[in-house]
Amino acid sequence: DIGAILVIALGYASHLNLEALLLGLVGLGFVRGLALLGVRSVPIYWIVGVAIWLTFHASGVHATVAGVILGLLTPAHGWISAGRLHVIVEQFAAYVQGERWNNGERDHGALRAIEVAARETLSPLERLEIGLHPWVSFVIMPLFALANAGVSINIMDFREPVAVAVMVGLGVGKPVGIVSFSWLAVRLGIAKLPEGVSWSILAAGGVLAGIGFTMALFIAG
């Protein structure tokens, strides 16, 4: 998908507004700086992300590129480990069960600490994914599919070189590419398979990844 987005960005950009593009790149640098400073507020990333999306859109580069880069820059690690959260919860439980609980300011501070600890166990990326998932699944994708349902299909079109290339790319290229690059990453020690995931499951996931039409429709448009 990133490769297809780069093709769109580089091959289909009609004009370039360098000032807007420069502002977008500065914004991306700002997001990276926020992550390095330990900023965890999702609303802040929302605000900066929308501004970057608008600058990329104004620059003539497909704004999808901004979305991909922002996704890669969003912090993907929790600030508080699961073990630390367990300790905090146990301490809070002992505090509540004691005689000190009187619903005062100190008790409210303890509650806020639990709230922050529970929230920061999840990374900003996970919180964004969880928050966006129902909107993407039940609103955005159905609207996208319905809006593009008027595409006419002729059986003779399947003989066209572009159609054959798309079918081979999605049906063969996706699973072969995903499995082979994953195997290479594991062999080089860059990554490892998640627990409970076998190579056959990964291959099946590669086949499922071939069920895609978003980028093809972008390019066709």
Side-chain angles (χ1 to χ4, degrees), residues 104-120:
E105 184 176 345
R106 183 179 178 185
D107 302 329
H108 293 163
L111 281 172
R112 284 193 296 271
I114 281 287
E115 179 188 8
V116 172
R119 183 179 67 246
E120 295 302 337

Side-chain angles (χ1 to χ4, degrees), residues 15-28 50-61 66:
H15 66 281
L16 280 180
N17 184 330
L18 294 179
E19 292 181 357
L21 184 59
L22 181 61
L23 283 174
L25 294 175
V26 169
L28 292 173
V50 169
I52 293 171
W53 192 94
L54 291 172
T55 58
F56 267 71
H57 181 70
S59 73
V61 175

